[in-house]
Amino acid sequence: MSAISASLVKELRERTGLGMMECKKALVESNGDIELAIDNLRKDSGLKAAKKADRTAADGVVSVKVADDGSYGVLVEVNSETDFVARDENFLGFVAKVVDKAFAGKVTDVAALMAGELEDARSALVQKIGENIGVRRVVVVEAPAGCVGSYVHSNNRIAVITQLKGGSVDLAKDVSMHVAAVNPQVVNTSEVSADVVEKEKDIIKAQPDMAGKAAEIVEKMMVGRINKFLKEISLTEQAFVKNPELTVGKLAKDAGAEIVAFTRFEVGEGIEKAEVDFAAEVAAQVQASKG
């Protein structure tokens, strides 16, 4: 027979959620009959795991590993569908393997990280637990002229890595804890984009107490409120959570350090989780059974 076309492999991948090579092999064995290939794949555990891929995995954990010398660290988010599974020992064991591999090879590409044994382990875990599980994102943070430190909140849902120039791992850990709690948007006010500032100006102008005021008064009030806004979202300008008498910037400066960057992961942020109406779902199933 003729070679299996790329479009046929693509169709099978879309219908099954399985990998390219597995789909290609199944099509070769079925002589290009996609329905037969699906029937054959349904007998295998791989398809059983992949069929869950359309279910939203918006729960899970974040995890961090930092080198003993503070020279670099990795931050990983691994998702599950429910908080119950996020506390499961088998799931947490899988997360530890993901973190260890990312740390050992400083790997940030999720596809490259998961290739081989980790993907096999993920598929086996999906089949065992019965939920969709996926590695969502990985970052590696290095500090050639300083150190990195991290903080993971007790619920394993928020984690932060902070990069310092100078300073110590303990200081970086304290800053990370502050970032976890307060969630600043940038390190310094200078990093806030012009678009963000303009959007905030539009919001300020639309506030009721601005109505009817002279342009110069509005401008003066605007400057004050914009400056307040910039301080509120900038890490170095915020009052340090462990000592509100100090700003985070002053804390770092007193320790002879400069905050270079931070990365904050919160489980499921940005993922749209479908709301399931169970009553409607049951009613639909009952109606379908009657039909």
Side-chain angles (χ1 to χ4, degrees):
M1 62 161 289
S2 60
I4 302 299
S5 70
S7 61
L8 198 59
V9 175
K10 180 174 182 289
E11 181 182 348
L12 185 56
R13 288 189 69 189
E14 289 174 349
R15 292 179 62 180
T16 65
L18 296 178
M20 181 179 70
M21 296 310 295
E22 191 168 1
C23 287
K24 186 173 181 179
K25 181 183 176 184
L27 285 165
V28 168
E29 291 174 350
S30 69
N31 291 320
D33 185 332
I34 194 167
E35 298 302 331
L36 178 58
I38 290 173
D39 287 343
N40 291 338
L41 285 167
R42 287 187 64 191
K43 300 171 185 175
D44 299 330
S45 61
L47 181 55
K48 184 177 179 181
K51 284 174 72 177
K52 301 180 189 300
D54 62 344
R55 294 189 351 208
T56 303
D59 218 294
V61 298
V62 285
S63 186
V64 174
K65 187 170 185 177
V66 172
D68 291 338
D69 62 0
S71 60
Y72 79 102
V74 299
L75 177 56
V76 176
E77 178 182 357
V78 183
N79 296 129
S80 60
E81 292 180 44
T82 64
D83 178 63
F84 178 77
V85 166
R87 299 191 302 271
D88 178 83
E89 287 185 6
N90 295 300
F91 175 78
L92 294 175
F94 170 70
V95 172
K97 290 179 182 177
V98 172
V99 173
D100 286 345
K101 185 176 177 182
F103 180 83
K106 296 183 179 179
V107 183
T108 58
D109 182 276
V110 173
L113 177 67
M114 294 303 295
E117 292 182 2
L118 277 183
E119 178 54 31
D120 292 341
R122 187 199 70 82
S123 293
L125 191 59
V126 169
Q127 185 180 357
K128 179 177 182 178
I129 291 178
E131 281 195 13
N132 188 23
I133 291 166
V135 178
R136 185 183 180 200
R137 49 184 173 164
V138 184
V139 298
V140 175
V141 178
E142 299 186 73
C147 62
V148 300
S150 66
Y151 172 81
V152 181
H153 194 55
S154 57
N155 61 6
N156 292 328
R157 295 183 63 86
I158 300 174
V160 180
I161 284 186
T162 299
Q163 177 190 355
L164 299 180
K165 183 178 180 181
S168 66
V169 171
D170 285 341
L171 174 62
K173 182 177 179 180
D174 272 347
V175 174
S176 296
M177 182 183 66
H178 173 95
V179 172
V182 182
N183 194 16
Q185 302 304 300
V186 294
V187 174
N188 301 299
T189 56
S190 60
E191 296 175 12
V192 181
S193 72
D195 288 345
V196 170
V197 173
E198 286 305 313
K199 183 179 179 182
E200 188 63 21
K201 284 182 177 179
D202 289 341
I203 292 170
I204 293 169
K205 285 178 184 177
Q207 290 171 354
D209 63 344
M210 290 292 190
K213 288 186 170 61
E216 61 270 20
I217 299 297
V218 170
E219 187 61 31
K220 189 174 180 180
M221 292 174 68
M222 179 99 66
V223 169
R225 293 186 188 182
I226 284 293
N227 287 336
K228 182 182 178 185
F229 166 74
L230 291 174
K231 287 183 177 182
E232 286 174 347
I233 66 171
S234 302
L235 172 61
T236 54
E237 300 292 335
Q238 293 174 343
F240 180 43
V241 288
K242 290 174 70 173
N243 180 6
E245 299 298 315
L246 279 178
T247 64
V248 177
K250 184 72 161 54
L251 173 76
K253 186 177 180 180
D254 289 350
E258 177 187 341
I259 301 169
V260 178
F262 65 84
T263 302
R264 183 184 190 274
F265 278 5
E266 185 165 353
V267 169
E269 58 189 348
I271 299 176
E272 291 187 14
K273 190 169 184 178
E275 297 296 327
V276 179
D277 185 337
F278 289 105
E281 193 173 87
V282 170
Q285 290 176 357
V286 169
Q287 188 64 35
S289 66
K290 289 179 179 178

